[in-house]
Amino acid sequence: MLSEKRKNIYLVLVIAFSVMAISLSFYFYQIFFSPNALIDSNQNYMLKIGSNDTYKTVANRLYDDHVVNDLVSFSFLAKILGYQDNVKSGLYTVAPKMTNLELIRVLRSGKQSPIRVTFNNVRTKEDLAEKITANMEISEEQFLHLIQDSVYIRKYNFNEETIMSMFVPNTYELWWNTSAEALFDRMYKEYESFWTDERKQKASTMGLNQTEVSTLASIVQAESQKSDERSRIAGVYLNRLQLGIPLQADPTLVFALGDFEIKRVLNVHKETDSPYNTYKYAGLPPGPINLPDINSLDAVLNAEDHNYLYFCAKEDFSGYHSFASTLAEHNANARRYQAALNAAKIY
C-alpha cells in the first residue's frame, strides 16, 4: 500500500518536473529564437547608440520606439550574453522579426551600418560643417573647432586659408560615430586619392600647385554653373595669370565682403582692401572662395588653350558667357549685358 503511494507520488513528481522542463525549454526557446523586434512592422529601424549611451539608454530607446516587443526577455538574454556590460556605439540596422539572439549578436559585435555623407554647393567653413555632420554623431561645433585650429590643420600641410582644399565634394561611406579627428583623416586620404600622379603632372605643367588649382577652380565654379564652359573660363584666368594681369574676378570680391546677396559688383566694392580683392591685387587669392567640385577642379586641369582674356555674362541671361580677346570686344559685350540688366531692373 505504502509502496503504491510512493510510486504515485514519484509519478506525479516526474510528470510535474517534465511539464516544468518542457515549459522552461519552450520559454528559453522563445527568448532565444522567437521574433521579438518590429513584430508589426515591415520596415527596418536604424538604432543610433551614442558614445556615452549605457545599456539602460539603449533598452529604453528600443522599448519606447516600439522596436522590442518583450523587453524582459531581451534584457535577460543581454545579461546572459554579456551585452549589458559591452555596449558599443554606432548605427545599427534592426530588421523586422529579428530574434533577441540575432539582435544582440549584431549589437554586441559592433557590426554597424554605414552612412552616406554628401556635401557640395559649399561656400564657407560653416556651410561645410553643417552639411558634413548632418547625419553624424559629431556636432558642427566639433568640426568647426578642428577646421579653425591652425595648429591642428598644419599636420595636413594646410593653413586656415587653404584647408577647404582638402575636402573634395563627393559622396562617402562613413560610420555614423566617426570622430571629428577620424573624419579629417578620412578626408585627407580621399584628397590624396583624388590627386593622382596624372592630375599632379597637369597642375605642375601649368605652374600651379594643388592648392592653387583648388583656389582657381573655386573662382571658376563661382563664375559659372554651366559645367561645359568652365574649362574655357579657366583658360581665361590662366592667360591673365601668365601675363600678370589681375584676375578681376567678381566672386572674389563678394567673398571678401562676405555678402553673398550682392547681384552686381560696383566700383565702390572694388576699393575693398582684402587679399581676396583680385581687382586690387594681382595673382590668386590666398585660398579657395568656396568648395570646388570635381568638375571645376578638372576644368582647371584641362583648361582650354585659347587667346581670350575677358568674359562677360550673356545678355540673354542663359547663364553662359561671351568671351573676348580684346578690351574693345569685351566692352561691347559688357554694354549689351548692362543694358539687359537695366531693362530687367536688376541692380
Side-chain angles (χ1 to χ4, degrees), residues 40-161:
D40 299 320
S41 177
N42 58 4
Q43 294 183 332
N44 292 338
Y45 172 86
M46 304 310 296
L47 173 63
K48 293 178 180 177
I49 302 178
S51 300
N52 297 318
D53 282 351
T54 63
Y55 172 75
K56 184 177 180 181
T57 306
V58 175
N60 288 341
R61 188 173 300 140
L62 289 171
Y63 187 73
D64 293 342
D65 289 351
H66 306 290
V67 179
V68 166
N69 188 52
D70 181 0
L71 188 59
V72 173
S73 66
F74 176 83
S75 295
F76 178 75
L77 189 56
K79 181 68 174 177
I80 291 177
L81 298 178
Y83 175 64
Q84 290 190 6
D85 300 317
N86 192 29
V87 173
K88 295 176 180 178
S89 66
L91 178 70
Y92 300 91
T93 300
V94 183
K97 309 299 189 294
M98 256 186 167
T99 67
N100 286 328
L101 182 60
E102 290 171 332
L103 178 52
I104 292 170
R105 278 178 172 171
V106 168
L107 300 181
R108 190 179 63 175
S109 70
K111 187 179 180 180
Q112 295 190 55
S113 297
I115 61 169
R116 295 169 70 84
V117 174
T118 301
F119 53 92
N120 47 40
N121 298 320
V122 172
R123 277 192 175 127
T124 65
K125 293 174 182 176
E126 288 75 16
D127 289 342
L128 178 59
E130 179 183 357
K131 292 185 177 183
I132 203 169
T133 66
N135 296 312
M136 301 187 71
E137 182 183 19
I138 61 172
S139 66
E140 293 178 36
E141 291 72 23
Q142 288 173 303
F143 181 86
L144 279 173
H145 175 73
L146 290 188
I147 202 170
Q148 293 171 345
D149 186 336
S150 59
V151 176
Y152 181 80
I153 60 181
R154 203 176 298 155
K155 67 182 280 191
Y156 302 107
N157 297 317
F158 292 98
N159 58 40
E160 291 175 90
E161 287 76 27

